[in-house]
Amino acid sequence: MKLSSYVIKRLLYSIFVLLGLSIVIFIIARVVPGDPARLALGPRAPQFAVDALREEMHLDKSLPVQYFYWIKGVATGDLGKSLITKRNVVEDIAEFLPATLELVLVSALFVIVFSIFFGALAARYKDTWVDSFIRVMAYTGVAVPSFVLAVIFLLLFGYIWPIIPVLGRLSAGIQPPPTITGLITIDSLLTGQLDVFFDALKHLILPALALAVGPLFQEARIVRSAMTENMGKDYLAAAVGFGMPDHVITGKYLLKPSLIPAVSVMGLDIASLMSNAFLVEVIFNWPGISRYGMEAMLRKDLNAISAVIIVFGLIFVLVNILVDLIVAYLDPRIRLGGRSS
Amino acid sequence: MNISVQSKQEVPALSFSVRVKSGVKKNWYKFSRNKLSVVGLIIVLIIVFSAIFAPLIVPYPHHAGKFVDYANAGTAPCAEYWFGTDNFGRDIFSRIIFAFRGALYMAALVLAIAVPIGVFLGLIAGYYQGTFLDTVIMRVTDIFLSVPPLLLALAIAAVLKPNLTNAMIAVTVMWWPWYTRLVYGMATSTRNEYFVKASELIGAGRLHIIFREILPNCLSPIFTKMALDVGWVILIGASLSFVGLGEQPPTPALGQMVSDGTRYMPDLWWMTVFPSLAIAVTILGFNLMGDGIRDMMAKGEYDRE
Amino acid sequence: MIVNKNDSILNIKDLHVHYRTYDGFAKVLDGVNLWVGKGEKVGLVGEAGCGKTTTMRTVLRILPENAVVPKGEIFYHGEDILKMKPQKLNKVRTQGISMIFQEPAAALNPVFTIGTQMFDVIRYSDSGKGRSKEEIKELAVKAIGEVYIPDPERILNSYPGQLSGGMKQRICIAMAIVTERELLIADEPGTSLDVTILDQVHRLLRGLVEKKGMSLIMITHSLGVAREMTDRIYVMYAGNIVETAETKELFKNPLHPYTLGLLESVPRLTGGGVAEGIYGRIPDYFSPPKGCRFHPRCRLSEEKCREEKPLLKDVGDGHQVACFKVQGVI
């Protein structure tokens, strides 16, 4: 089938893009800062120590050779040591990535579920107060960046109305479940600790909401306009004319074509979730890779910075492949690429 | 929107009172049909005006810098200090107005640099579609678009010295590819239009084709995007300064003020809330205005619906 | 086959339909009267934009949401479709009337396979209830065979985008006849197709309707098509039926000035220069002309035509005309 060759093409291209990205990261982390060895050791380190490190990091070689050594390290999982934790960066990532994944996944889930729900609602009750409310929320979502929302949540629920936890992944007294996937919600379910699961869930709600609100209502607007546009299509009138029940018409024949434009921009939403996670994790003291990356940036921990960007680039590329595949699944016109009508 | 396809077929002979309005008047009509666009424009004008004349209009211009007045530190909003004072006793309102200066300056400079670069590359790649040049430009663009934009800006700003100039460099580096991609799409389609072919046939040079034939046809989406992007650049700038990678204290910046405020929550809540509101209103204003400009640039049936 | 009006299965009485737009109400249908007998093939002829499709969409109640029906009744076996409860209406849609849309590419959902769409049509039709998956598929395969498309299995797994225009048109017909229906409404089927395929589609349609003993309402802008396909013809102008008669009678003895104009505008193969056509165009529905809606274009119009609206009157043998001049009033 054409789908498989489409996937292969897409994957090959992604590898190329990632290689290109690695050059950009190399330039940011190794070329721009001047002398990474001096940065790593600090201004008071003796010159001979800096020189030794320069040799160890191959900084005395030409740039292409440096890149070659660096990318070899990246490929074999050796990203160097972190200045902050003094550990291998890969270990740090393994420790901090799951928390971020859990947060981003939950907020992505919010975005997907509620954008379809609110979008369909706005389309169904077009030009009523429901529609207006969702439009106002969309404007608000655009205007209030997630870090501002996070701060407001912190003020509201942390101080004024403390009904829901605002900091960290778990409450103080609760033991985290044994690490299986690293996602506390899933691990606690796997080990049957329901109390831990609910505690983790409560901690997830606010940061996930802070991330999700913006993209959520904009997606809902996209779903809404696609739905209202498709409602006027002949094929829908035909389905009604054939006497199909409401739930089949709305839930099947209207929903599927209307989801395509919404899913197509989902990749950008995930990008906004991931980058905003950098600020939101700091605010909610969420022990994820973004907070780790943020600290690395503030302290010029170059190995950690480049590792974090590589990981995010990789995730972003994978997400975009996934989005393309879902769009191709939903839209046979793309998948088959044949005669267009 | 209410006229669906079927009814259009059935009602072909609608006669509209098409009053052809010209120039400024027509554009204003198209822009102002949506009242929210006008609201956006007003917000933007107020912000720009107050930023330009900040030293003249704010009650305490000297508070936008190194100034300490512990006697009045942490004053709640009152007639004297509309938005209250911060932990150093500085007037929040004055500082916000001054912060607009940096934010607008950044947005203007970033777009002034990123847009021409992005547009030029997009035009070149589009004109030389299918050649090696096209491949190189567009693949590099794809690479830059393969990382979440804010992340790249954070990383670049982080390895440089933290200040406003470097924050601008960081944002510029991540901003041009969006314009390249936008222009590329339009340039490749315009390139194959008959009017371009025709001027090619009568011997027009490459530069003429690129800048006099293709570019004018790409302008309206570019301007629309720029109008919307002012808000986004301000947002990214605020995000950078929120984590300390933008304008350094004591010069005020919106993100930095929010971040400072969080340390004094909830007692000095106004330290956080008012700068947050300022960010939200600014972004909202530029977005609403951008929507209006998009309506204005849109061709065709402006007197229906 | 000619049927008495009293045996009609569908009877539209004084139907008005308006569209609400930002410029006001477009008063499209202005009192349409039309009936169809059992097993009868009826043509509805008129130029583009005269309200043919609107009339037929009203019958199935699938008008766009900005449409309003201020006045009129549509009796289906004696019951007013416009007043039916959902359940009753559903019965009409699933076992009474089906419709073939003008544009086959638009009438098929682009993101579902032909099979999915066809199976659902069967599953939710009255005679499809309680059928097993295999039986449903069997019915679909049979219907595809009936519209002369080879390899039904492949078609069922195809998306609309993979089929040619002619195939899509046939599929639309197949979907409309896949389960039993009493009345088929064909809205200019195949207008977008080239003439040889158009002709095939018309033959196919007539054959199927006759074989199954269905009634047919054929919407078309071509009197030639109507002549070949129908027993009786309604001529429509700007939301009004202006003339109706048995097909033979209408061609032998056309009376309404508009019908005459339509006949004159058919180019003749025998030569004689370019057809004359009708001066002017369909009126503005936002402020339609007073009196007879055709009067601004009519060569015979007089004072009364501008003031008063002529109603359909019998001029003998079921031949009805809405024109003062013909009725001998003026």
Side-chain angles (χ1 to χ4, degrees):
Chain A
M1 267 283 275
K2 273 195 165 162
L3 191 58
S4 57
S5 68
Y6 176 76
V7 175
I8 291 171
K9 232 169 96 182
R10 195 72 185 71
L11 278 173
L12 283 177
Y13 187 62
S14 303
I15 291 173
F16 161 81
V17 166
L18 282 174
L19 267 178
L21 178 63
S22 73
I23 297 178
V24 175
I25 296 170
F26 174 77
I27 293 171
I28 292 175
R30 288 289 171 98
V31 182
V32 177
D35 189 348
R38 172 59 75 185
L39 265 173
L41 296 176
R44 272 179 299 240
Q47 189 58 39
F48 68 87
V50 175
D51 286 342
L53 187 64
R54 282 180 66 88
E55 203 171 334
E56 194 196 319
M57 290 170 77
H58 310 287
L59 290 175
D60 47 345
K61 312 271 189 340
S62 70
L63 280 178
V65 177
Q66 284 186 40
Y67 173 73
F68 172 76
Y69 277 111
W70 182 77
I71 195 73
K72 201 174 115 200
V74 171
T76 53
D78 174 19
L79 291 159
K81 276 192 166 48
S82 158
L83 286 181
I84 308 170
T85 60
K86 311 281 179 216
R87 289 191 305 182
N88 203 320
V89 174
V90 179
E91 283 172 49
D92 287 346
I93 287 180
E95 185 187 332
F96 294 119
L97 184 59
T100 297
L101 280 184
E102 188 170 35
L103 178 61
V104 171
L105 280 176
V106 170
S107 47
L109 205 68
F110 278 168
V111 173
I112 293 166
V113 172
F114 288 109
S115 65
I116 295 173
F117 175 75
F118 285 123
L121 212 64
R124 172 74 185 74
Y125 298 101
K126 203 178 120 199
D127 299 328
T128 66
W129 66 269
V130 179
D131 193 17
S132 313
F133 170 76
I134 288 163
R135 185 183 320 217
V136 169
M137 287 305 288
Y139 274 122
T140 317
V142 170
V144 184
S146 53
F147 76 90
V148 169
L149 203 60
V151 168
I152 291 170
F153 280 170
L154 199 62
L155 182 65
L156 268 180
F157 297 104
Y159 302 102
I160 298 175
W161 198 32
I163 50 161
I164 193 165
V166 287
L167 295 177
R169 293 176 86 185
L170 283 175
S171 302
I174 292 191
Q175 275 299 319
T179 305
I180 304 168
T181 60
L183 312 182
I184 291 184
T185 44
I186 293 179
D187 289 348
S188 59
L189 278 183
L190 287 177
T191 50
Q193 295 164 274
L194 274 185
D195 52 330
V196 180
F197 172 76
F198 284 116
D199 191 65
L201 212 56
K202 268 195 239 163
H203 281 80
L204 269 167
I205 288 174
L206 286 182
L209 264 187
L211 287 176
V213 165
L216 192 166
F217 284 100
Q218 288 172 68
E219 283 281 348
R221 291 288 296 167
I222 295 175
V223 172
R224 176 214 181 261
S225 64
M227 276 190 146
T228 47
E229 192 194 322
N230 289 334
M231 271 179 190
K233 292 267 168 75
D234 271 0
Y235 57 74
L236 226 72
V240 177
F242 280 123
M244 293 186 195
D246 257 0
H247 68 268
V248 174
I249 289 166
T250 315
K252 186 173 177 181
Y253 289 107
L254 177 58
L255 187 63
K256 192 175 169 191
S258 305
L259 282 184
I260 294 167
V263 175
S264 314
V265 298
M266 204 69 98
L268 286 176
D269 287 340
I270 303 286
S272 99
L273 293 184
M274 291 195 318
S275 32
N276 282 319
F278 270 76
L279 310 179
V280 170
E281 284 191 1
V282 174
I283 297 167
F284 286 106
N285 204 17
W286 192 264
I289 192 172
S290 304
R291 199 187 61 169
Y292 169 76
M294 205 63 250
E295 258 165 62
M297 285 176 188
L298 294 177
R299 290 164 67 173
K300 286 204 190 328
D301 185 348
L302 297 177
N303 286 338
I305 293 174
S306 38
V308 169
I309 303 178
I310 289 173
V311 169
F312 272 73
L314 191 66
I315 295 174
F316 190 47
V317 164
L318 290 177
V319 165
N320 273 314
I321 294 177
L322 193 69
V323 166
D324 282 357
L325 286 181
I326 295 173
V327 171
Y329 163 77
L330 287 175
D331 193 347
R333 289 164 294 190
I334 291 176
R335 177 167 14 127
L336 302 164
R339 256 191 299 249
S340 57
S341 53
Chain B
M1 206 123 119
N2 271 331
I3 313 271
S4 55
V5 188
Q6 313 90 314
S7 64
K8 263 187 190 153
Q9 283 173 3
E10 287 286 339
V11 194
L14 313 175
S15 77
F16 316 126
S17 51
V18 182
R19 275 189 294 154
V20 179
K21 292 164 185 157
S22 59
V24 178
K25 217 172 164 189
K26 182 172 110 187
N27 282 336
W28 172 249
Y29 171 72
K30 286 160 90 175
F31 179 88
S32 62
R33 236 175 345 155
N34 187 347
K35 294 289 162 279
L36 284 177
S37 313
V38 183
V39 174
L41 181 69
I42 293 170
I43 294 175
V44 168
L45 285 179
I46 291 174
I47 288 172
V48 172
F49 180 84
S50 56
I52 293 174
F53 299 104
L56 303 176
I57 56 172
V58 301
Y60 309 96
H62 55 288
H63 286 203
K66 252 197 185 122
F67 174 82
V68 175
D69 175 12
Y70 286 115
N72 285 314
T75 313
C78 57
E80 211 169 331
Y81 302 103
W82 294 352
F83 292 174
T85 63
D86 65 6
N87 54 314
F88 291 115
R90 297 177 298 193
D91 179 38
I92 306 259
F93 176 72
S94 304
R95 288 179 65 77
I96 286 179
I97 300 294
F98 268 89
F100 282 147
R101 295 188 131 191
L104 288 175
Y105 173 63
M106 174 169 180
L109 216 62
V110 164
L111 290 177
I113 298 168
V115 174
I117 294 175
V119 169
F120 180 73
L121 290 175
L123 281 173
I124 298 294
Y127 181 77
Y128 292 103
Q129 189 192 9
T131 65
F132 180 68
L133 201 58
D134 167 26
T135 316
V136 171
I137 293 176
M138 291 321 291
R139 288 329 83 154
V140 172
T141 308
D142 281 351
I143 289 164
F144 275 91
L145 293 175
S146 73
V147 216
L150 175 61
L151 174 57
L152 202 58
L154 281 171
I156 296 172
V159 295
L160 300 169
K161 233 170 117 293
N163 57 40
L164 186 63
T165 315
N166 285 338
M168 285 195 291
I169 292 173
V171 178
T172 309
V173 168
M174 52 141 294
W175 218 270
W176 64 268
W178 298 94
Y179 284 87
T180 305
R181 194 156 80 170
L182 177 77
V183 172
Y184 178 74
M186 287 181 302
T188 48
S189 61
T190 313
R191 192 186 177 338
N192 296 315
E193 296 279 352
Y194 284 121
F195 66 88
V196 176
K197 298 273 178 212
S199 59
E200 237 166 24
L201 275 177
I202 57 170
R206 275 175 215 163
L207 287 178
H208 176 89
I209 303 263
I210 295 176
F211 292 104
R212 304 302 287 273
E213 303 285 346
I214 300 178
L215 179 61
N217 282 287
C218 307
L219 284 181
S220 84
I222 294 174
F223 284 131
T224 307
K225 187 169 167 55
M226 280 174 74
L228 290 166
D229 274 359
V230 176
W232 298 129
V233 175
I234 291 177
L235 167 60
I236 297 261
S239 304
L240 288 177
S241 86
F242 179 77
V243 294
L245 294 175
E247 190 74 87
Q248 294 303 302
T251 314
L254 294 171
Q256 169 215 92
M257 291 172 77
V258 175
S259 142
D260 286 347
T262 53
R263 269 178 273 142
Y264 296 93
M265 278 208 299
D267 306 321
L268 309 186
W269 54 267
W270 50 89
M271 275 184 74
T272 319
V273 168
F274 289 110
S276 298
L277 270 178
I279 294 174
V281 170
T282 311
I283 297 170
L284 187 66
F286 278 101
N287 266 284
L288 293 178
M289 186 187 77
D291 284 349
I293 289 179
R294 180 169 52 205
D295 294 342
M296 192 173 84
M297 295 281 186
K299 291 193 179 76
E301 306 180 79
Y302 55 87
D303 18 21
R304 287 229 82 185
E305 306 199 1
Chain C
M1 187 160 88
I2 306 301
V3 194
N4 191 303
K5 185 175 176 180
N6 297 330
D7 299 333
S8 65
I9 54 173
L10 185 77
N11 192 354
I12 302 175
K13 281 187 174 166
D14 198 25
L15 184 66
H16 290 68
V17 174
H18 298 174
Y19 288 106
R20 195 179 52 244
T21 78
Y22 282 83
D23 299 323
F25 280 94
K27 303 169 198 71
V28 177
L29 293 194
D30 185 38
V32 170
N33 289 288
L34 181 154
W35 62 273
V36 188
K38 188 153 180 56
E40 196 185 21
K41 298 195 288 290
V42 166
L44 183 56
V45 184
E47 65 196 291
C50 72
K52 303 174 302 242
T53 305
T54 298
T55 312
M56 289 306 125
R57 278 179 184 255
T58 320
V59 170
L60 274 174
R61 280 175 58 181
I62 48 174
L63 286 168
E65 57 176 35
N66 62 327
V68 285
V69 185
K71 203 171 154 194
E73 292 145 316
I74 302 174
F75 290 107
Y76 179 72
H77 286 296
E79 249 186 288
D80 188 356
I81 290 181
L82 296 174
K83 293 201 183 83
M84 275 183 188
K85 297 246 151 55
Q87 225 177 347
K88 258 285 171 24
L89 178 66
N90 195 51
K91 238 184 167 86
V92 175
R93 286 169 172 169
T94 53
Q95 63 177 23
I97 305 170
S98 62
M99 181 158 170
I100 301 167
F101 284 75
Q102 191 169 15
E103 195 54 62
L108 295 169
N109 197 318
V111 301
F112 290 93
T113 59
I114 302 295
T116 312
Q117 303 185 46
M118 216 152 169
F119 296 159
D120 274 346
V121 170
I122 302 169
R123 186 171 301 129
Y124 297 110
S125 78
D126 236 44
S127 56
K129 290 214 169 95
R131 281 179 199 265
S132 70
K133 267 207 168 105
E134 289 71 31
E135 286 172 314
I136 288 177
K137 193 173 167 191
E138 219 170 277
L139 267 178
V141 168
K142 186 168 151 256
I144 293 176
E146 279 181 311
V147 293
Y148 301 113
I149 301 182
D151 201 357
E153 295 283 339
R154 189 179 62 86
I155 298 293
L156 286 176
N157 286 320
S158 306
Y159 289 91
Q162 294 170 285
L163 305 178
S164 69
M167 296 257 254
K168 273 184 273 206
Q169 185 66 70
R170 283 155 193 267
I171 292 295
C172 286
I173 296 175
M175 280 168 83
I177 56 142
V178 66
T179 60
E180 279 176 35
R181 295 288 205 282
E182 198 175 12
L183 169 64
L184 181 64
I185 299 171
D187 185 359
E188 307 205 33
T191 315
S192 57
L193 305 176
D194 67 64
V195 277
T196 49
I197 298 179
L198 184 64
D199 189 50
Q200 287 174 16
V201 167
H202 287 154
R203 278 163 205 269
L204 170 72
L205 201 60
R206 192 172 58 187
L208 279 170
V209 169
E210 279 170 4
K211 190 172 99 189
K212 292 177 182 276
M214 298 163 92
S215 303
L216 171 73
I217 299 178
M218 176 82 189
I219 301 179
T220 173
H221 56 261
S222 153
L223 275 167
V225 171
R227 183 179 202 165
E228 292 205 1
M229 305 259 317
T230 63
D231 306 322
R232 204 151 52 79
I233 293 179
Y234 285 94
V235 180
M236 194 166 182
Y237 178 77
N240 290 301
I241 301 290
V242 293
E243 183 166 11
T244 169
E246 282 163 28
T247 308
K248 272 185 200 155
E249 163 73 14
L250 188 81
F251 279 91
K252 212 167 64 188
N253 186 22
L255 292 174
H256 196 281
Y258 179 65
T259 317
L260 287 164
L262 275 185
L263 283 167
E264 267 167 32
S265 50
V266 176
R268 288 184 185 81
L269 288 174
T270 48
V274 182
E276 207 172 301
I278 308 171
Y279 162 82
R281 48 186 205 137
I282 291 254
D284 175 4
Y285 285 114
F286 290 101
S287 47
K290 227 178 125 195
C292 175
R293 280 191 174 182
F294 187 60
H295 85 250
R297 300 171 75 181
C298 183
R299 280 170 296 193
L300 308 172
S301 69
E302 287 184 22
E303 187 59 35
K304 191 174 172 68
C305 308
R306 288 187 274 274
E307 294 301 324
E308 208 175 309
K309 189 184 154 174
L311 298 173
L312 273 180
K313 290 251 170 67
D314 207 309
V315 293
D317 289 338
H319 192 153
Q320 296 183 321
V321 192
C323 176
F324 293 128
K325 211 71 186 183
V326 177
Q327 290 163 359
V329 178
I330 46 173

